[in-house]
Amino acid sequence: MHIHNYEKIWLVLAMIMIVGFLTTVTYGATAVGIEMISDEEDTIDPGALDEDPRFAEPRVEQVGENEYEAYVVAQQYIFSPDPIEVPANSTVTFYVTSPDVIHGFQVAGTNANTMVIPGEVAKLTVETEEPGEHGIVCNEYCGSGHHVMEGKLIIHPEDEFEMEDDE
Ligand code: CUA
């Protein structure tokens, strides 16, 4: 097939534009300080969270040099702990469960998002990048206070982050 040079130029320009759009979309999804890397579920008794070593005291724990685990309870109409505080440039695994109804757990403006179902522990691992504050929103309708159910994730600069010592 013969293609005129003039058409070739337009084809090349169209390709460049497509790659440009894809780059913009990808950049928008990942370059906001948090990158979601995995997501899965486990089971739990929703009526006995206060007897579960992970959720009796919702908290953030350091489990490795740059690794943290956050045990989060989503319930009508709060997230605990609030705020959730972690350092930048770390791997944070959130374990989120609910004692009452289905909630959502979404770090606003990122693709870190999971459904929180009573009886299940949603597990969500993210890489934190830049320091900053992110809203945590419930994106599943959970009752009259759904629209006010929100929390906060604070990503501290690494050199300013200290784990609270509760011994
Ligand atoms: Cu919790 Cu909507």
Side-chain angles (χ1 to χ4, degrees), residues 74-79 98 100-105 137-143 145-150:
Q75 61 186 298
Q76 291 168 321
Y77 296 100
I78 55 169
F79 291 101
S98 163
D100 46 37
V101 300
I102 292 176
H103 296 279
F105 179 89
V137 294
C138 176
N139 53 16
E140 293 290 331
Y141 183 75
C142 54
H146 163 70
H147 63 288
V148 297
M149 181 165 173
E150 56 188 22

mmCIF file of all heavy atoms in Angstrom, residues 74-79 98 100-105 137-143 145-150, ligand 1:
data_model
loop_
_atom_site.group_PDB
_atom_site.id
_atom_site.type_symbol
_atom_site.label_atom_id
_atom_site.label_comp_id
_atom_site.label_asym_id
_atom_site.label_seq_id
_atom_site.Cartn_x
_atom_site.Cartn_y
_atom_site.Cartn_z
ATOM 1 N N ALA A 74 -13.678 0.652 60.286
ATOM 2 C CA ALA A 74 -14.627 1.568 59.658
ATOM 3 C C ALA A 74 -15.988 1.227 60.237
ATOM 4 O O ALA A 74 -16.425 0.081 60.179
ATOM 5 C CB ALA A 74 -14.629 1.357 58.141
ATOM 6 N N GLN A 75 -16.628 2.203 60.872
ATOM 7 C CA GLN A 75 -17.959 1.947 61.420
ATOM 8 C C GLN A 75 -18.787 3.215 61.311
ATOM 9 O O GLN A 75 -18.249 4.290 61.074
ATOM 10 C CB GLN A 75 -17.856 1.490 62.874
ATOM 11 C CG GLN A 75 -17.220 2.525 63.801
ATOM 12 C CD GLN A 75 -17.019 1.975 65.199
ATOM 13 O OE1 GLN A 75 -17.961 1.622 65.882
ATOM 14 N NE2 GLN A 75 -15.774 1.878 65.627
ATOM 15 N N GLN A 76 -20.097 3.079 61.481
ATOM 16 C CA GLN A 76 -20.974 4.242 61.371
ATOM 17 C C GLN A 76 -20.553 5.283 62.420
ATOM 18 O O GLN A 76 -20.708 5.010 63.607
ATOM 19 C CB GLN A 76 -22.431 3.828 61.572
ATOM 20 C CG GLN A 76 -22.956 2.978 60.399
ATOM 21 C CD GLN A 76 -24.278 2.323 60.712
ATOM 22 O OE1 GLN A 76 -24.498 1.868 61.839
ATOM 23 N NE2 GLN A 76 -25.160 2.231 59.730
ATOM 24 N N TYR A 77 -20.028 6.432 62.159
ATOM 25 C CA TYR A 77 -19.653 6.965 60.864
ATOM 26 C C TYR A 77 -18.254 7.527 60.987
ATOM 27 O O TYR A 77 -18.006 8.687 60.713
ATOM 28 C CB TYR A 77 -20.648 8.062 60.436
ATOM 29 C CG TYR A 77 -22.047 7.478 60.242
ATOM 30 C CD1 TYR A 77 -23.007 7.614 61.227
ATOM 31 C CD2 TYR A 77 -22.357 6.739 59.082
ATOM 32 C CE1 TYR A 77 -24.272 7.035 61.068
ATOM 33 C CE2 TYR A 77 -23.623 6.172 58.926
ATOM 34 C CZ TYR A 77 -24.569 6.320 59.916
ATOM 35 O OH TYR A 77 -25.803 5.753 59.767
ATOM 36 N N ILE A 78 -17.364 6.667 61.462
ATOM 37 C CA ILE A 78 -15.980 7.109 61.646
ATOM 38 C C ILE A 78 -14.990 6.031 61.198
ATOM 39 O O ILE A 78 -15.326 4.853 61.103
ATOM 40 C CB ILE A 78 -15.658 7.450 63.135
ATOM 41 C CG1 ILE A 78 -15.995 6.246 64.030
ATOM 42 C CG2 ILE A 78 -16.387 8.700 63.593
ATOM 43 C CD1 ILE A 78 -15.469 6.365 65.451
ATOM 44 N N PHE A 79 -13.787 6.491 60.949
ATOM 45 C CA PHE A 79 -12.671 5.582 60.728
ATOM 46 C C PHE A 79 -11.773 5.727 61.966
ATOM 47 O O PHE A 79 -11.529 6.825 62.434
ATOM 48 C CB PHE A 79 -11.847 6.000 59.509
ATOM 49 C CG PHE A 79 -12.561 5.822 58.206
ATOM 50 C CD1 PHE A 79 -13.149 6.910 57.570
ATOM 51 C CD2 PHE A 79 -12.640 4.570 57.595
ATOM 52 C CE1 PHE A 79 -13.806 6.760 56.355
ATOM 53 C CE2 PHE A 79 -13.297 4.415 56.387
ATOM 54 C CZ PHE A 79 -13.878 5.508 55.764
ATOM 55 N N SER A 98 -15.154 -3.900 59.436
ATOM 56 C CA SER A 98 -16.317 -3.160 59.931
ATOM 57 C C SER A 98 -17.108 -4.017 60.900
ATOM 58 O O SER A 98 -17.312 -5.207 60.656
ATOM 59 C CB SER A 98 -17.219 -2.809 58.739
ATOM 60 O OG SER A 98 -18.508 -2.460 59.202
ATOM 61 N N ASP A 100 -20.265 -3.186 61.689
ATOM 62 C CA ASP A 100 -21.693 -2.963 61.467
ATOM 63 C C ASP A 100 -22.157 -3.218 60.023
ATOM 64 O O ASP A 100 -22.694 -4.274 59.739
ATOM 65 C CB ASP A 100 -22.111 -1.565 61.972
ATOM 66 C CG ASP A 100 -21.174 -0.441 61.566
ATOM 67 O OD1 ASP A 100 -20.647 -0.489 60.439
ATOM 68 O OD2 ASP A 100 -20.977 0.492 62.367
ATOM 69 N N VAL A 101 -21.951 -2.265 59.155
ATOM 70 C CA VAL A 101 -22.461 -2.428 57.784
ATOM 71 C C VAL A 101 -21.318 -2.242 56.784
ATOM 72 O O VAL A 101 -20.183 -1.975 57.178
ATOM 73 C CB VAL A 101 -23.580 -1.387 57.492
ATOM 74 C CG1 VAL A 101 -24.747 -1.559 58.448
ATOM 75 C CG2 VAL A 101 -23.039 0.034 57.573
ATOM 76 N N ILE A 102 -21.631 -2.382 55.519
ATOM 77 C CA ILE A 102 -20.599 -2.219 54.482
ATOM 78 C C ILE A 102 -20.201 -0.744 54.366
ATOM 79 O O ILE A 102 -21.046 0.143 54.319
ATOM 80 C CB ILE A 102 -21.107 -2.733 53.121
ATOM 81 C CG1 ILE A 102 -21.283 -4.251 53.176
ATOM 82 C CG2 ILE A 102 -20.148 -2.351 51.993
ATOM 83 C CD1 ILE A 102 -21.869 -4.836 51.899
ATOM 84 N N HIS A 103 -18.891 -0.519 54.373
ATOM 85 C CA HIS A 103 -18.355 0.825 54.166
ATOM 86 C C HIS A 103 -17.359 0.765 53.011
ATOM 87 O O HIS A 103 -17.025 -0.319 52.523
ATOM 88 C CB HIS A 103 -17.619 1.310 55.419
ATOM 89 C CG HIS A 103 -18.501 1.462 56.620
ATOM 90 N ND1 HIS A 103 -19.298 2.559 56.828
ATOM 91 C CD2 HIS A 103 -18.722 0.632 57.668
ATOM 92 C CE1 HIS A 103 -19.966 2.403 57.965
ATOM 93 N NE2 HIS A 103 -19.641 1.230 58.493
ATOM 94 N N GLY A 104 -16.903 1.938 52.649
ATOM 95 C CA GLY A 104 -15.815 2.004 51.674
ATOM 96 C C GLY A 104 -14.611 2.579 52.378
ATOM 97 O O GLY A 104 -14.729 3.236 53.414
ATOM 98 N N PHE A 105 -13.445 2.312 51.825
ATOM 99 C CA PHE A 105 -12.204 2.897 52.340
ATOM 100 C C PHE A 105 -11.431 3.340 51.120
ATOM 101 O O PHE A 105 -10.875 2.522 50.391
ATOM 102 C CB PHE A 105 -11.420 1.852 53.140
ATOM 103 C CG PHE A 105 -10.106 2.351 53.698
ATOM 104 C CD1 PHE A 105 -10.048 2.952 54.952
ATOM 105 C CD2 PHE A 105 -8.933 2.215 52.971
ATOM 106 C CE1 PHE A 105 -8.834 3.401 55.467
ATOM 107 C CE2 PHE A 105 -7.723 2.671 53.480
ATOM 108 C CZ PHE A 105 -7.669 3.262 54.738
ATOM 109 N N VAL A 137 -12.211 8.562 52.451
ATOM 110 C CA VAL A 137 -13.655 8.682 52.304
ATOM 111 C C VAL A 137 -14.323 7.319 52.254
ATOM 112 O O VAL A 137 -13.725 6.320 51.868
ATOM 113 C CB VAL A 137 -14.036 9.492 51.040
ATOM 114 C CG1 VAL A 137 -13.579 10.932 51.175
ATOM 115 C CG2 VAL A 137 -13.467 8.874 49.784
ATOM 116 N N CYS A 138 -15.576 7.310 52.705
ATOM 117 C CA CYS A 138 -16.405 6.121 52.628
ATOM 118 C C CYS A 138 -17.222 6.272 51.352
ATOM 119 O O CYS A 138 -17.975 7.224 51.217
ATOM 120 C CB CYS A 138 -17.317 6.048 53.841
ATOM 121 S SG CYS A 138 -18.470 4.665 53.758
ATOM 122 N N ASN A 139 -17.044 5.357 50.439
ATOM 123 C CA ASN A 139 -17.763 5.496 49.173
ATOM 124 C C ASN A 139 -18.840 4.434 48.973
ATOM 125 O O ASN A 139 -19.230 4.138 47.865
ATOM 126 C CB ASN A 139 -16.773 5.512 48.000
ATOM 127 C CG ASN A 139 -15.857 4.308 48.043
ATOM 128 O OD1 ASN A 139 -16.151 3.339 48.744
ATOM 129 N ND2 ASN A 139 -14.767 4.342 47.322
ATOM 130 N N GLU A 140 -19.272 3.831 50.099
ATOM 131 C CA GLU A 140 -20.416 2.914 50.027
ATOM 132 C C GLU A 140 -21.486 3.508 50.933
ATOM 133 O O GLU A 140 -21.190 3.860 52.085
ATOM 134 C CB GLU A 140 -20.046 1.528 50.573
ATOM 135 C CG GLU A 140 -19.027 0.763 49.746
ATOM 136 C CD GLU A 140 -19.587 0.300 48.410
ATOM 137 O OE1 GLU A 140 -20.825 0.055 48.327
ATOM 138 O OE2 GLU A 140 -18.811 0.205 47.450
ATOM 139 N N TYR A 141 -22.711 3.569 50.475
ATOM 140 C CA TYR A 141 -23.764 4.147 51.305
ATOM 141 C C TYR A 141 -23.948 3.285 52.551
ATOM 142 O O TYR A 141 -24.188 2.078 52.455
ATOM 143 C CB TYR A 141 -25.090 4.258 50.542
ATOM 144 C CG TYR A 141 -26.113 4.923 51.417
ATOM 145 C CD1 TYR A 141 -26.062 6.301 51.638
ATOM 146 C CD2 TYR A 141 -27.080 4.185 52.088
ATOM 147 C CE1 TYR A 141 -26.961 6.917 52.488
ATOM 148 C CE2 TYR A 141 -27.983 4.792 52.939
ATOM 149 C CZ TYR A 141 -27.914 6.168 53.134
ATOM 150 O OH TYR A 141 -28.786 6.773 53.985
ATOM 151 N N CYS A 142 -23.818 3.903 53.747
ATOM 152 C CA CYS A 142 -23.830 3.115 54.973
ATOM 153 C C CYS A 142 -24.816 3.641 56.005
ATOM 154 O O CYS A 142 -24.812 3.209 57.157
ATOM 155 C CB CYS A 142 -22.421 3.074 55.563
ATOM 156 S SG CYS A 142 -21.699 4.703 55.817
ATOM 157 N N GLY A 143 -25.666 4.590 55.625
ATOM 158 C CA GLY A 143 -26.654 5.088 56.569
ATOM 159 C C GLY A 143 -26.712 6.606 56.528
ATOM 160 O O GLY A 143 -26.097 7.242 55.687
ATOM 161 N N GLY A 145 -25.429 8.920 58.178
ATOM 162 C CA GLY A 145 -24.220 9.735 58.351
ATOM 163 C C GLY A 145 -23.159 9.449 57.292
ATOM 164 O O GLY A 145 -22.022 9.904 57.417
ATOM 165 N N HIS A 146 -23.537 8.702 56.277
ATOM 166 C CA HIS A 146 -22.569 8.317 55.243
ATOM 167 C C HIS A 146 -21.781 9.501 54.682
ATOM 168 O O HIS A 146 -20.563 9.450 54.543
ATOM 169 C CB HIS A 146 -23.302 7.585 54.105
ATOM 170 C CG HIS A 146 -22.516 7.506 52.841
ATOM 171 N ND1 HIS A 146 -21.384 6.720 52.724
ATOM 172 C CD2 HIS A 146 -22.674 8.128 51.652
ATOM 173 C CE1 HIS A 146 -20.904 6.864 51.499
ATOM 174 N NE2 HIS A 146 -21.653 7.710 50.835
ATOM 175 N N HIS A 147 -22.517 10.574 54.396
ATOM 176 C CA HIS A 147 -21.855 11.717 53.744
ATOM 177 C C HIS A 147 -20.868 12.450 54.634
ATOM 178 O O HIS A 147 -20.073 13.229 54.155
ATOM 179 C CB HIS A 147 -22.909 12.694 53.195
ATOM 180 C CG HIS A 147 -23.758 13.304 54.267
ATOM 181 N ND1 HIS A 147 -24.720 12.580 54.962
ATOM 182 C CD2 HIS A 147 -23.765 14.538 54.801
ATOM 183 C CE1 HIS A 147 -25.281 13.377 55.856
ATOM 184 N NE2 HIS A 147 -24.727 14.564 55.776
ATOM 185 N N VAL A 148 -20.918 12.200 55.958
ATOM 186 C CA VAL A 148 -19.950 12.873 56.829
ATOM 187 C C VAL A 148 -18.864 11.898 57.291
ATOM 188 O O VAL A 148 -17.995 12.243 58.082
ATOM 189 C CB VAL A 148 -20.605 13.507 58.083
ATOM 190 C CG1 VAL A 148 -21.579 14.597 57.654
ATOM 191 C CG2 VAL A 148 -21.292 12.460 58.948
ATOM 192 N N MET A 149 -18.910 10.675 56.792
ATOM 193 C CA MET A 149 -17.934 9.684 57.228
ATOM 194 C C MET A 149 -16.632 9.883 56.472
ATOM 195 O O MET A 149 -16.525 9.549 55.297
ATOM 196 C CB MET A 149 -18.482 8.273 56.990
ATOM 197 C CG MET A 149 -17.508 7.194 57.445
ATOM 198 S SD MET A 149 -18.319 5.600 57.558
ATOM 199 C CE MET A 149 -16.897 4.548 57.884
ATOM 200 N N GLU A 150 -15.664 10.463 57.143
ATOM 201 C CA GLU A 150 -14.370 10.640 56.498
ATOM 202 C C GLU A 150 -13.269 10.653 57.540
ATOM 203 O O GLU A 150 -13.505 10.910 58.719
ATOM 204 C CB GLU A 150 -14.340 11.923 55.675
ATOM 205 C CG GLU A 150 -14.692 13.157 56.471
ATOM 206 C CD GLU A 150 -14.847 14.388 55.589
ATOM 207 O OE1 GLU A 150 -15.083 14.256 54.380
ATOM 208 O OE2 GLU A 150 -14.724 15.486 56.139
HETATM 209 CU CU1 CUA B 1 -19.500 4.421 55.825
HETATM 210 CU CU2 CUA B 1 -20.623 5.313 53.892
#
